Amino acid sequence: MKITILSRSASIPSTRRLVEAARARGHQARVLNPGRVDMHLDGSSASLFYKRKKLPPCDVVLPRIAQSINSYGLAVVNQFGIRGVPLMNTAQAIAQSRNKMRSLQLLSANGIDIPSTVMARDAADLKAMVGLVGGVPVLVKLLQGQEKHGVMVCESLQSLEAALEAVLGLGHNLVMQQYVQKTGQDIRVLVVGGRAVAAVERRPRVGRLSHTLIKGARLEGIVLSDACRVTAERTARLVGLEVAAVDLLDVKGQPKVFEVNSSPALPEMEAATGMDLATPIIERAEALVAGAPRVEEQEPGGVKAPVSAPVGKREAPRRKVAGRPSRKASSERG
């Protein structure tokens, strides 16, 4: 296949892993910066240019659109879709996942449990509503923020007040959510093609504002419960994402989804689980091009095992991550 990866740079670790996995399976992979893609419409055709040269056809597109060029990047993704190119994540699904309040509204309306959540435009109102989400610690997030900078854990009223004054002062809208750290697990589940393929538990550092997952959190691969797996898979389907990281809290066996990400960082999860997580994405791209339907939704008790890569650390064989130590953490910019 000819695979196009929309990413700001081929050197970004997750992008590099996807290129490696694609080429290992005999495919051609090109990385295009969506900010440098030009588009042309005339009522009868939809053309795409890169560095002023018309783009040759490709078989499938893997979007990894940075928040900094979200609107333009999603227009590029949509243009590929207009041309009939299969998309691993559509522009509509990416946009829906990035509007945090709307995605939570969608999930809640379809029976997916979510943590207690409040939204307000005024810092004083948010501070007054801390009790509605169970008190500190709380998650504070931008409604339209990057994964790495849009989510914080505030473990005290002082850190919460500092976060609210700083962020609302810049004119951003915030959502505040319950964060059950002592009685539950903070879990990230990678879902590909409707199937959960890996999961990690995240442990933020205590006593400070922590960017979840990317900064200030220790990751550990885990075996996912049926309830969490089914919830993560349903969440990805509802939002419409082929590739998604579903963030949830497992509170005494009851999963509560608090975030969905369309461009999850791969190396961090690979290092924590010892699994190759780029290859399942390429395999799903192959199936998508071949016209394979999405995996049918399963209920607890009647769940099939993942096709691509098993969830967990020691209970099942792992794919080896090519050229990477299995336990060494890696960091990713953008």
Side-chain angles (χ1 to χ4, degrees):
M1 297 191 306
K2 295 180 179 179
I3 301 175
T4 294
I5 302 172
L6 294 176
S7 175
R8 289 182 302 164
S9 171
S11 65
I12 294 174
S14 291
T15 302
R16 185 170 64 243
R17 287 291 300 122
L18 291 170
V19 171
E20 291 170 354
R23 291 175 179 170
R25 295 183 64 81
H27 304 306
Q28 298 178 35
R30 66 182 178 189
V31 178
L32 302 181
N33 181 344
R36 303 196 66 179
V37 175
D38 299 322
M39 296 167 282
H40 171 253
L41 295 166
D42 62 9
S44 61
S45 63
S47 301
L48 290 155
F49 299 83
Y50 194 67
K51 297 180 180 179
R52 295 178 293 279
K53 293 181 180 179
K54 194 168 185 177
L55 280 174
C58 66
D59 296 305
V60 64
V61 171
L62 278 66
R64 293 190 62 87
I65 305 300
Q67 181 67 32
S68 58
I69 57 164
N70 187 60
S71 295
Y72 191 86
L74 293 186
V76 172
V77 175
N78 203 47
Q79 187 93 340
F80 275 103
I82 291 173
R83 291 171 58 85
V85 181
L87 305 171
M88 285 295 287
N89 283 336
T90 66
Q92 180 180 0
I94 297 170
Q96 185 146 260
S97 71
R98 288 186 170 174
N99 190 311
K100 295 177 176 61
M101 194 62 181
R102 289 186 184 179
S103 63
L104 289 173
Q105 289 169 332
L106 170 69
L107 297 177
S108 182
N110 284 275
I112 299 292
D113 198 8
I114 64 172
S116 181
T117 303
V118 297
M119 176 184 173
R121 290 182 61 87
D122 186 87
D125 292 338
L126 281 172
K127 284 187 287 186
M129 290 192 288
V130 172
L132 294 178
V133 297
V136 292
V138 295
L139 285 176
V140 175
K141 58 184 68 177
L142 301 180
L143 278 183
Q144 296 280 7
Q146 297 185 59
E147 175 189 354
K148 289 188 283 296
H149 303 296
V151 184
M152 295 172 285
V153 179
C154 298
E155 303 213 16
S156 67
L157 290 174
Q158 290 80 9
S159 63
L160 173 62
E161 184 174 4
L164 296 181
E165 290 179 354
V167 180
L168 288 175
L170 296 174
H172 297 296
N173 293 325
L174 293 178
V175 165
M176 187 167 63
Q177 286 183 319
Q178 174 189 26
Y179 185 65
V180 187
Q181 183 178 347
K182 294 182 179 179
T183 60
Q185 286 181 296
D186 179 353
I187 296 173
R188 164 160 287 199
V189 185
L190 180 66
V191 181
V192 180
R195 292 267 177 96
V197 298
V200 293
E201 181 180 3
R202 309 183 297 189
R203 298 178 183 273
R205 284 180 280 179
V206 178
R208 54 160 287 176
L209 292 177
S210 298
H211 295 302
T212 60
L213 187 63
I214 299 299
K215 293 183 180 179
R218 179 169 59 87
L219 306 185
E220 181 180 346
I222 62 170
V223 177
L224 205 59
S225 69
D226 280 350
C228 287
R229 178 166 49 77
V230 170
T231 296
E233 292 172 350
R234 285 195 62 211
T235 295
R237 292 189 190 99
L238 283 169
V239 179
L241 294 169
E242 289 283 351
V243 179
V246 179
D247 296 337
L248 54 86
L249 296 171
D250 184 3
V251 184
K252 299 180 180 179
Q254 179 64 43
K256 298 175 179 286
V257 176
F258 63 87
E259 181 111 22
V260 186
N261 290 291
S262 58
S263 298
L266 301 178
E268 287 81 1
M269 291 191 72
E270 288 184 329
T273 62
M275 297 169 64
D276 173 358
L277 301 180
T279 295
I281 296 174
I282 301 302
E283 290 174 340
R284 179 54 191 161
E286 294 169 353
L288 200 63
V289 172
R294 297 192 68 174
V295 178
E296 293 297 324
E297 186 170 341
Q298 300 287 330
E299 295 297 330
V303 182
K304 297 180 181 179
V307 172
S308 300
V311 175
K313 291 180 65 177
R314 301 179 178 86
E315 283 65 24
R318 310 180 188 120
R319 286 186 174 90
K320 184 177 180 181
V321 180
R324 292 177 181 273
S326 62
R327 296 294 176 186
K328 186 176 180 180
S330 59
S331 62
E332 179 163 352
R333 294 182 180 273

